[in-house]
Amino acid sequence: MTTYITTPIYYVNSTPHIGHAYTTIIADTYSRFRRLCGDEVRFQTGTDEHGEKIVQAAEKEGIGPREYAERISAAFRDTWPLLDIAPDHFIRTTNPEHIKVVQDILQKVYDQGDIYFSSYSGHYCKGCERFLTEKELVDGKCPDHLTVPDEVSEQNYFFRMSKYQDWLINHIKDNPDYITPERYRNEVLSFLSEPLEDLCISRPCSRLTWGIPLPFDKNFVTYVWFDALINYLTGIGYPDGADFTKYWSVAEHVVAKDILKPHAIYWPTMIQAAGLPPYQKLHVHGYWNVDETKMSKSIGNVIRPGDLVEEYGSDTVRYFLLREMSFGRDASFSKEAIFERRNADLANDIGNLFSRALTMLAKYADAKVPQLDEASITEEDRVLIAAIDKMLAEYTACMNGFEFHRALQSVWEVIGMLNRFIVTNAPWELAKDAANAGRLRTVLYFLAESLRILALVLRPMMPTAANKMAAALGLTEELDKAVLPEAGRWGGIQPGTALHVGEALFPRMEKKAASPAAPEKPKPQAKAEKKVEPAAQEEDGLISFDYFGKVELRVAEIVAAEKIAKAEKLLKLTVRAPEERTLVAGIAKHYSPEELIGRKVIIVANLKPAKLMGIASQGMVLAAKEKDADSNERLVLSAVAADIAVGSRVA
Ligand code: MSP
């Protein structure tokens, strides 16, 4: 099989930040995963170097756009290796091959009558580099850039996009996976329910020269989006390169929601007009904010990936970004959150597991993978093998479905089991009595083999850490050759393999080593508690029907649950209702995270978000509390029939 995965090509008007890093890490992780599944993979990223805003940014620096583009494009190329991002091709729109392809396609579409000359006036947002419709403006401003667009009135060339509207609607409807997650597919279909305007695809040279000249009218350059989107074809050798034939039919694009419309509407209609088959999939993710605030240069809260790598290393940064954002939804970066994940998930969970297991293998098995003793295999061992099999299936499905955070959650459930496995089997106790030698070898074999599988599945996300694990397990070559699902089958590690106990995977970080956490914001919950709605409550203590109607109770399914470091009573839950959200619930003493997955509960869905232990809780789970005769508290979660759809309103 083959995979072709792309990121947007980034504008060179500013240097890379964590938003760019996230998309590119996603594409890198996916390409590594598909390689692990045996695919031939082509992963492409690059820079978008033409257009008005590049000219403006260059002017500010007092240099020409070409020199400026050169400098910033290099900054992108230099950043990716720091994050272990390894694209197969880095495309630049200033490449002569690209310019030729754009002109060829323009000419083809023009010759067939799908490009015409006309006059136009509209609201042009330089930030978006496109005309915005009246409907898109909020208070007369672009909602993304919060600037008033320029009123532009001029003669230009137009692409007959409207001609392809019906085709596009049918294509999206017939192919449910064409645009995912579903909310973005719905957004596009809703936009397409109104008549589509034709697309202005030129700028007069009198206004802009930093672009690709139209082949049929040298007084105009092409519009930056028409230029940029074609990179996905140029990079694989359109029209007759071998890689074009090999990869175009499997093209998958990753973008954030900001450029949904160009990718979901302009691009498919352009491809259709060029007489090519449509791309396969568009994966759309949400936006990274910083401390719940939009990231922007003017606020001064832009997070640079290079700085983070310096502080935490590439694996922690990749892990954090993949784990913290549920693909499709927005997420918030904070120094506090990455620090917590580093110490809790990485240093404590996997780091400890790895170093304890290897230390014991060194001490009790002479730093070699022992031969296990079949007779001593217990029921608990079989449960562990079954759990690893289940994890591999979930992991594969989630990775293919771009649910990276869920793939990691399922791996972390196994890590939790393994840490408990060490405690319940206490190899240090077994080692005290020679009669237990067989069992000790079995326990140690189980640990070594589990670590092998963890290294395998974590490699797409954390290549450096996984390679360190493989080196310690004496499996560097095996891991390079490994192909899923075969390589994930239990029993792959060979007894006798020499182990190399080395450095810790994720040394615990001290608070002072991290940058100071963001100052505590006032706790919204405390405020919400005090605020009683006027006249909401009748004098007799009863509430009105209307008042109750304001409380939105919904059926939610718990899809992930985990302990929160330093909070004994709290669990962090990820629920679907039907959109995914995070809740913090005080139920840790009554439920283990594992038993919660898959349960359906009732939540208050419209509660104001509150931050608990640094985690924004978006709602509340309903549970019943009772006390027995000894004043022991019992807490039982609300429940509904298993077949009720998530998101159903409870009234
Ligand atoms: N040049 C166009 C894309 C042309 S693709 C044919 C462009 N460039 S951009 O530099 O503005 O990059 C936008 C992309 O950068 C987003 O779609 C996303 O991939 C990434 N991100 C930029 N800011 C982001 C966040 N704050 N959060 C998440 N991703 C973000 O648009």
Side-chain angles (χ1 to χ4, degrees):
M1 294 234 295
T2 44
T3 292
Y4 175 36
I5 186 80
T6 69
T7 72
I9 48 170
Y10 304 111
Y11 286 130
V12 289
N13 62 333
S14 77
T15 49
H17 57 59
I18 53 161
H20 306 119
Y22 176 73
T23 318
T24 320
I25 288 170
I26 289 282
D28 182 77
T29 300
Y30 185 66
S31 70
R32 288 174 189 269
F33 167 71
R34 292 304 321 165
R35 279 194 179 104
L36 182 57
C37 296
D39 276 14
E40 268 189 85
V41 177
R42 174 95 172 176
F43 158 30
Q44 177 172 303
T45 186
T47 42
D48 187 357
E49 307 186 10
H50 294 125
E52 274 184 74
K53 63 177 170 191
I54 310 300
V55 174
Q56 281 187 345
E59 271 168 9
K60 268 196 201 153
E61 295 285 314
I63 54 177
R66 189 171 298 279
E67 191 187 338
Y68 184 75
E70 200 65 51
R71 187 192 292 175
I72 310 285
S73 175
F76 277 93
R77 280 196 304 279
D78 293 347
T79 297
W80 300 147
L82 304 177
L83 286 157
D84 289 331
I85 292 170
D88 298 293
H89 187 53
F90 189 98
I91 185 151
R92 303 181 54 187
T93 52
T94 45
N95 286 348
E97 307 84 65
H98 174 75
I99 294 171
K100 179 170 181 328
V101 169
V102 171
Q103 290 183 325
D104 287 354
I105 291 180
L106 279 165
Q107 188 68 52
K108 180 177 192 307
V109 179
Y110 180 73
D111 290 346
Q112 74 195 29
D114 279 346
I115 290 177
Y116 61 92
F117 194 59
S118 180
S119 55
Y120 187 79
S121 53
H123 320 283
Y124 194 77
C125 171
K126 278 203 203 78
C128 298
E129 289 279 22
R130 65 182 181 90
F131 285 102
L132 302 182
T133 60
E134 202 70 52
K135 250 181 150 180
E136 284 177 295
L137 302 180
V138 177
D139 297 332
K141 290 182 181 165
C142 163
D144 283 347
H145 297 95
L146 305 176
T147 47
V148 179
D150 296 338
E151 294 308 312
V152 174
S153 185
E154 61 195 17
Q155 287 206 305
N156 264 315
Y157 285 89
F158 289 80
F159 164 50
R160 263 184 233 287
M161 194 157 72
S162 55
K163 177 174 157 189
Y164 299 97
Q165 176 163 11
D166 291 343
W167 167 81
L168 181 58
I169 294 173
N170 290 334
H171 187 74
I172 297 174
K173 285 191 174 160
D174 292 346
N175 295 279
D177 287 342
Y178 189 57
I179 303 168
T180 54
E182 206 183 350
R183 59 211 309 255
Y184 296 111
R185 174 175 186 262
N186 293 341
E187 199 178 312
V188 173
L189 283 173
S190 138
F191 185 80
L192 286 170
S193 63
E194 306 271 330
L196 204 53
E197 284 178 20
D198 288 342
L199 185 67
C200 176
I201 58 147
S202 65
R203 298 287 171 272
C205 289
S206 54
R207 190 152 70 82
L208 178 74
T209 50
W210 183 237
I212 300 180
L214 293 185
F216 42 83
D217 190 338
K218 300 288 179 223
N219 295 319
F220 289 82
V221 293
T222 192
Y223 164 54
V224 62
W225 276 105
F226 211 96
D227 164 354
L229 288 161
I230 289 174
N231 90 84
Y232 301 133
L233 299 176
T234 328
I236 48 172
Y238 170 89
D240 45 18
D243 279 346
F244 179 70
T245 324
K246 190 161 158 189
Y247 290 114
W248 178 248
S249 60
V250 294
E252 296 179 58
H253 304 308
V254 192
V255 297
K257 61 183 185 181
D258 56 336
I259 51 176
L260 175 63
K261 209 177 278 176
H263 281 83
I265 297 176
Y266 306 174
W267 184 221
T269 54
M270 281 168 63
I271 304 170
Q272 186 70 1
L276 292 169
Y279 61 75
Q280 284 301 301
K281 286 183 185 174
L282 180 64
H283 304 277
V284 188
H285 64 76
Y287 242 46
W288 278 98
N289 296 318
V290 172
D291 294 322
E292 316 283 344
T293 310
K294 193 180 155 100
M295 189 167 35
S296 94
K297 262 196 216 162
S298 52
I299 299 177
N301 62 352
V302 177
I303 305 286
R304 303 288 170 200
D307 297 344
L308 285 183
V309 170
E310 209 165 285
E311 195 165 343
Y312 292 98
S314 67
D315 291 317
T316 302
V317 179
R318 288 174 70 111
Y319 173 79
F320 174 80
L321 294 176
L322 291 167
R323 178 64 185 79
E324 194 76 7
M325 177 175 261
S326 53
F327 193 90
R329 307 199 65 84
D330 291 351
S332 186
F333 175 90
S334 71
K335 286 277 182 182
E336 207 181 13
I338 188 170
F339 181 83
E340 280 301 319
R341 286 222 177 264
R342 160 60 184 238
N343 275 353
D345 303 9
L346 298 177
N348 280 4
D349 295 348
I350 190 168
N352 277 347
L353 169 67
F354 178 76
S355 61
R356 287 173 91 189
L358 274 169
T359 312
M360 289 187 295
L361 278 153
K363 195 162 169 193
Y364 306 125
D366 211 11
K368 285 198 193 75
V369 176
Q371 181 81 47
L372 60 67
D373 170 33
E374 293 278 348
S376 73
I377 294 181
T378 66
E379 192 43 41
E380 190 204 355
D381 300 348
R382 288 187 225 284
V383 169
L384 178 63
I385 298 177
I388 289 180
D389 272 352
K390 183 167 156 264
M391 175 274 282
L392 280 163
E394 275 171 16
Y395 165 89
T396 307
C398 292
M399 295 292 276
N400 279 323
F402 273 62
E403 294 190 291
F404 303 97
H405 69 295
R406 295 191 67 201
L408 283 168
Q409 276 168 11
S410 63
V411 177
W412 252 253
E413 275 166 35
V414 165
I415 293 173
M417 278 184 94
L418 288 166
N419 275 320
R420 288 192 294 279
F421 180 85
I422 294 183
V423 175
T424 48
N425 286 286
W428 52 92
E429 293 295 333
L430 294 172
K432 286 181 185 160
D433 186 346
N436 295 326
R439 177 64 192 154
L440 178 61
R441 279 191 278 115
T442 302
V443 168
L444 294 174
Y445 179 88
F446 265 64
L447 290 175
E449 172 60 355
S450 304
L451 288 181
R452 178 188 74 87
I453 295 177
L454 289 178
L456 192 71
V457 294
L458 290 177
R459 207 174 184 212
M461 288 100 161
M462 298 193 278
T464 299
N467 288 346
K468 277 190 200 163
M469 289 174 78
L473 294 167
L475 295 177
T476 300
E477 271 177 43
E478 278 81 350
L479 213 67
D480 282 342
K481 284 188 245 144
V483 176
L484 283 179
E486 295 74 27
R489 300 235 163 83
W490 182 262
I493 202 162
Q494 292 309 309
T497 307
L499 308 171
H500 313 278
V501 186
E503 49 174 335
L505 273 189
F506 295 104
R508 229 189 133 69
M509 288 182 70
E510 294 305 320
K511 198 87 194 170
K512 62 175 170 22
S515 303
E520 270 292 305
K521 291 204 190 99
K523 293 197 172 63
Q525 198 179 33
K527 267 197 246 154
E529 273 164 7
K530 272 191 221 130
K531 196 173 145 199
V532 176
E533 284 214 16
Q537 223 166 330
E538 305 293 343
E539 278 171 8
D540 54 8
L542 300 178
I543 58 168
S544 71
F545 200 77
D546 281 353
Y547 182 59
F548 173 68
K550 286 184 188 158
V551 182
E552 197 185 315
L553 299 175
R554 288 198 183 274
V555 174
E557 183 183 354
I558 303 178
V559 292
E562 61 188 278
K563 295 210 166 100
I564 300 175
K566 294 194 210 111
E568 276 186 344
K569 289 188 179 166
L570 301 181
L571 287 184
K572 177 177 172 186
L573 307 179
T574 309
V575 303
R576 283 198 182 152
E579 82 295 347
E580 219 163 80
R581 58 169 79 201
T582 302
L583 306 181
V584 176
I587 56 173
K589 295 216 159 145
H590 308 272
Y591 291 91
S592 68
E594 299 79 54
E595 67 184 301
L596 289 170
I597 314 289
R599 264 185 197 243
K600 285 190 178 158
V601 290
I602 299 175
I603 64 162
V604 183
N606 61 341
L607 206 60
K608 280 197 180 149
K611 222 173 184 187
L612 296 164
M613 298 302 285
I615 301 168
S617 180
Q618 300 152 315
M620 188 170 92
V621 181
L622 297 192
K625 229 184 239 177
E626 68 170 11
K627 279 201 175 133
D628 67 11
D630 301 326
S631 286
N632 292 321
E633 199 171 77
R634 193 161 89 98
L635 201 142
V636 180
L637 284 176
S638 55
V640 288
D643 59 354
I644 188 105
V646 291
S648 304
R649 184 96 195 240
V650 179

